[in-house]
Amino acid sequence: MDKQNDQSRMDKIVSLAKRRGFIFQSSEIYGGLNGFWDYGPLGVALKRNLKDCWWQDMVSGHDELATPAGAPEPYEMAGLDCTIIMHPQVWKVSGHFDLFHDWLVDCRESKKRYRYDHLHGRFASHRNKRVFVVTDQSGDDALPHTLTRAQKFFGLRAKQIEEIQWEGGIEPLAAGIAAGTILTAETLAPDAAELGTLTDPREFNLMFETRIGALAGGDDDRAFLRPETAQGIFMNFKNVLDTSRVSVPFGIAQIGKSFRNEITPRNFTFRSREFEQMEIEFFCKPADSTAWYRYWRDRRWKWYLDLGLTAGKLQLREHHADELSHYSVGTADIEYAFPFLAEGEFGELEGIAHRGDFDLRSHSEGKLVRQDGQLVVEQGVDGKPRHRGSGKDLSYFDDVTRERYVPHVIEPSAGADRAVLAFLCDAYHEDEVPDEDGKPRSRTVLKLHPRLAPLKVAILPLVKKDGMPELAAELYRKLKPHMAAMYDEKGSVGRRYARQDEAGTPWCITVDGQSLTDRTVTLRDRDTLVQSRVAVDAVVDLLRDRLRTGVS
Ligand code: ATP
């Protein structure tokens, strides 16, 4: 599919999401708030199902006695739910206070703000004027954007476009400025008419700040909304260890909101300022950590496939050594080819990082930095730790081997909103189905995995009379305690099927004239469109079984 089709596909998905009540812009009646999204009736069910699948597959359904395929040995899992606002020292020691920032530049003319690393461009000359045309577009969109910007700047008509002379290809603005090959005065900002309107880049911390207490004002009252859920798990490592009889290797899982004051939220919910994460910190023996890293990387990859994401659109990407954080021994990203990205580009769904003993040691000793290949406590100008740790012993004593060590950590960190978006994009299909008269009718269908589908089944009486509504209601009440079921008697059956297809409902049950005589109903499958007759009393078991095995 070419890029343009992909963009129109994305537009259709966004419009379906709004029209059917999956996702709305936050505070829409006041014009909306950039980077914030609300989940409507179908969206909240989809997102909850996704989080439930994750919790069930990673935590509550985990068999602690078995060795899962690829794992070095059996392991335990525990859950946690901790606060969004934590002691400010947490973020100083974790590195978020010092390091969690982006560089941004403002345009004095258009008042727009850009992430410095998102700006690229190329030199264009016409007659005696030479400018560096800056674009904030990425991938395939960047070149055409610079072309139209240059045409407008030089005041040319479309047929004069060939008169522009270009030097080289698209290059990052930041690198050219740093090397002195691009001067700010010769840059044409993405939304400006004049040259040289971009400010120098400024650092911008991505953490939202707040104040604690009624008399807030001093520096001691400053607090932050968490930018990740992971740190709460490290805060409770010892609590969980001391209270729940777990022993290494074990993992602690948490699902919760995180906040990042992203400079340029974009691409629907992909880059939001408030979002949910599903994170695991897995604590293991240092010698086994590489094997555990591989296990979690492969396990998490398989999870997306098992829930139906198209394999060809998923990518597992190991980071190169120069991309790794200073503490990380290995990191892999699970990425999806979202329709809003250029051909060949992928967006991150989840990162799986081998974090060594960085976090537990930092929170014990003080913020660590790498020096000569070693992690050491960073010193301030006074020679004291720059950010003090808790001083608490966060090591682990192995009763069997009688060894004491600081466990190594493997962190699979996923975003619930990005996963919902990937599943929505992947599920979106347009095809043709025969209508009641056998004529082809185009339909929009969300082919969501039954576990994820907001509604599992819709019960439709063919007509609103002759006892059909009563039998349909009986069946609805039988199904409701077991799965999300809906009763719908409004409109023609064809239109009711269409509504359910758009909502991603895997099964529709129709109660017709024959149902009243032999107590059988028609079960329609969303994807295959196969219709089969099933006894009313067999429906609950049949659908429960299909839901459990994931067969639609
Ligand atoms: P990116 O590079 O895309 O900003 P990241 O590497 O900073 O992401 P992590 O810090 O590894 O992301 O966070 C783990 C997961 O949390 C990501 O894989 C993603 O699914 C989710 N996530 C991070 N930032 C956002 C955001 N602004 N909006 C929605 N989800 C996010």
Side-chain angles (χ1 to χ4, degrees):
M1 186 175 283
D2 66 33
K3 183 76 194 75
Q4 209 167 0
N5 281 342
D6 249 16
Q7 189 52 49
S8 79
R9 183 178 149 81
M10 191 62 217
D11 294 343
K12 287 182 195 166
I13 293 166
V14 172
S15 123
L16 173 81
K18 172 152 196 220
R19 181 161 42 84
R20 291 310 313 268
F22 280 94
I23 300 171
F24 306 120
Q25 171 108 59
S26 161
S27 325
E28 200 180 329
I29 59 167
Y30 285 106
L33 194 58
N34 200 8
F36 296 89
W37 299 94
D38 295 336
Y39 287 79
L42 288 178
V44 75
L46 171 60
K47 192 174 181 191
R48 176 152 304 180
N49 291 344
L50 178 106
K51 290 186 286 178
D52 284 351
C53 283
W54 186 88
W55 192 263
Q56 155 107 44
D57 298 344
M58 299 300 123
V59 189
S60 57
H62 169 64
D63 180 350
E64 302 190 332
L65 307 178
T67 305
E73 59 185 303
Y75 62 90
E76 292 163 282
M77 289 297 295
L80 188 73
D81 181 26
C82 60
T83 60
I84 284 167
I85 294 176
M86 288 186 261
H87 195 293
Q89 195 66 11
V90 172
W91 308 111
K92 293 191 173 156
V93 170
S94 70
H96 287 85
F97 187 77
D98 292 340
L99 294 175
F100 197 57
H101 57 239
D102 281 332
W103 291 88
L104 63 85
V105 287
D106 288 302
C107 174
R108 291 191 201 91
E109 185 191 318
S110 68
K111 307 288 178 237
K112 289 236 167 118
R113 177 166 285 178
Y114 311 96
R115 248 175 77 169
Y116 199 34
D117 60 337
H118 283 174
L119 295 182
H120 292 74
R122 52 179 180 149
F123 274 108
S125 305
H126 184 254
R127 307 244 157 97
N128 288 326
K129 207 151 179 70
R130 180 174 179 262
V131 295
F132 187 78
V133 186
V134 182
T135 175
D136 58 343
Q137 306 289 308
S138 62
D140 294 347
D141 296 333
L143 268 183
H145 188 231
T146 53
L147 193 65
T148 45
R149 296 286 301 133
Q151 182 194 344
K152 189 154 181 220
F153 179 75
F154 293 125
L156 304 176
R157 286 197 294 274
K159 61 180 177 193
Q160 293 174 292
I161 219 158
E162 298 295 321
E163 293 173 19
I164 304 173
Q165 286 168 344
W166 295 98
E167 290 167 44
I170 293 279
E171 56 172 308
L173 175 69
I177 297 263
T181 53
I182 305 169
L183 302 176
T184 309
E186 60 193 2
T187 54
L188 176 66
D191 302 278
E194 303 287 321
L195 293 183
T197 58
L198 290 175
T199 62
D200 287 338
R202 291 185 289 128
E203 270 181 299
F204 176 79
N205 196 299
L206 296 184
M207 284 196 291
F208 278 98
E209 228 180 282
T210 187
R211 302 262 163 194
I212 298 176
L215 295 174
D219 216 36
D220 290 350
D221 314 315
R222 263 174 104 193
F224 304 93
L225 305 193
R226 66 180 176 200
E228 60 171 36
T229 60
Q231 295 303 320
I233 299 183
F234 297 123
M235 290 304 102
N236 286 287
F237 165 73
K238 222 166 166 35
N239 284 339
V240 174
L241 201 58
D242 293 347
T243 56
S244 61
R245 294 186 60 227
V246 289
S247 53
V248 170
F250 72 97
I252 304 180
Q254 172 164 230
I255 299 180
K257 288 260 175 149
S258 291
F259 301 81
R260 295 184 189 178
N261 204 355
E262 299 279 0
I263 296 169
T264 45
R266 59 166 101 185
N267 293 331
F268 203 22
T269 56
F270 181 83
R271 189 169 300 288
S272 308
R273 288 177 164 143
E274 175 174 342
F275 53 96
E276 262 181 295
Q277 291 185 308
M278 310 183 290
E279 296 195 294
I280 296 172
E281 304 303 320
F282 189 80
F283 302 94
C284 60
K285 222 170 154 166
D288 301 338
S289 60
T290 306
W292 282 114
Y293 166 66
R294 291 205 191 101
Y295 165 72
W296 278 108
R297 184 196 57 193
D298 299 346
R299 171 94 198 270
R300 293 298 308 142
W301 162 258
K302 191 168 174 296
W303 188 77
Y304 292 97
L305 291 177
D306 287 348
L307 279 174
L309 277 194
T310 307
K313 292 192 174 173
L314 262 190
Q315 165 171 294
L316 184 66
R317 191 176 68 82
E318 285 278 356
H319 283 207
H320 301 296
D322 57 358
E323 272 183 278
L324 294 177
S325 318
H326 64 91
Y327 48 77
S328 183
V329 183
T331 297
D333 285 343
I334 298 173
E335 303 176 329
Y336 182 74
F338 285 97
F340 50 75
L341 296 172
E343 179 94 46
E345 281 188 15
F346 290 78
E348 176 181 328
L349 288 181
E350 169 161 355
I352 298 99
H354 183 318
R355 299 178 61 91
D357 56 8
F358 174 78
D359 306 277
L360 290 178
R361 270 189 59 203
S362 296
H363 284 301
S364 173
E365 300 166 30
K367 186 184 165 219
L368 298 175
V369 284
R370 187 169 288 279
Q371 246 172 38
D372 305 325
Q374 300 287 323
L375 285 175
V376 295
V377 176
E378 187 181 354
Q379 313 263 299
V381 274
D382 54 3
K384 294 190 183 143
R386 182 164 151 68
H387 294 305
R388 268 183 314 104
S390 66
K392 300 279 185 297
D393 180 7
L394 298 179
S395 65
Y396 172 79
F397 183 70
D398 187 326
D399 284 335
V400 182
T401 61
R402 316 295 298 163
E403 286 171 275
R404 181 169 285 285
Y405 58 87
V406 178
H408 276 201
V409 168
I410 313 299
E411 177 188 81
S413 168
D417 307 80
R418 284 194 189 171
V420 165
L421 186 57
F423 281 106
L424 262 182
C425 292
D426 212 66
Y428 183 92
H429 286 83
E430 288 169 3
D431 59 12
E432 276 192 349
V433 296
D435 67 9
E436 280 134 286
D437 306 321
K439 294 206 195 92
R441 170 180 68 76
S442 60
R443 74 162 179 169
T444 300
V445 53
L446 288 185
K447 295 190 176 177
L448 288 167
H449 190 287
R451 287 180 77 195
L452 294 178
L455 289 166
K456 312 302 179 195
V457 58
I459 299 102
L460 321 171
L462 190 60
V463 288
K464 275 194 268 182
K465 56 181 186 194
D466 302 336
M468 289 183 213
E470 288 74 11
L471 183 56
E474 178 193 326
L475 191 51
Y476 164 78
R477 292 198 182 100
K478 272 190 191 203
L479 282 159
K480 195 79 182 178
H482 303 286
M483 64 192 70
M486 183 185 177
Y487 174 90
D488 186 7
E489 58 175 28
K490 289 191 210 107
S492 72
V493 162
R495 293 197 45 183
R496 283 182 271 167
Y497 282 155
R499 276 204 289 271
Q500 296 304 328
D501 287 342
E502 270 195 347
T505 311
W507 305 294
C508 285
I509 291 175
T510 314
V511 175
D512 54 18
Q514 187 182 333
S515 312
L516 303 175
T517 53
D518 66 1
R519 280 183 68 83
T520 64
V521 288
T522 309
L523 179 65
R524 171 191 184 263
D525 184 281
R526 176 195 68 199
D527 299 345
T528 63
L529 297 172
V530 169
Q531 305 210 10
S532 45
R533 281 214 85 88
V534 183
V536 168
D537 297 328
V539 167
V540 173
D541 285 347
L542 181 77
L543 293 192
R544 284 184 68 188
D545 204 44
R546 287 195 184 179
L547 208 48
R548 198 176 42 77
T549 55
V551 178
S552 72

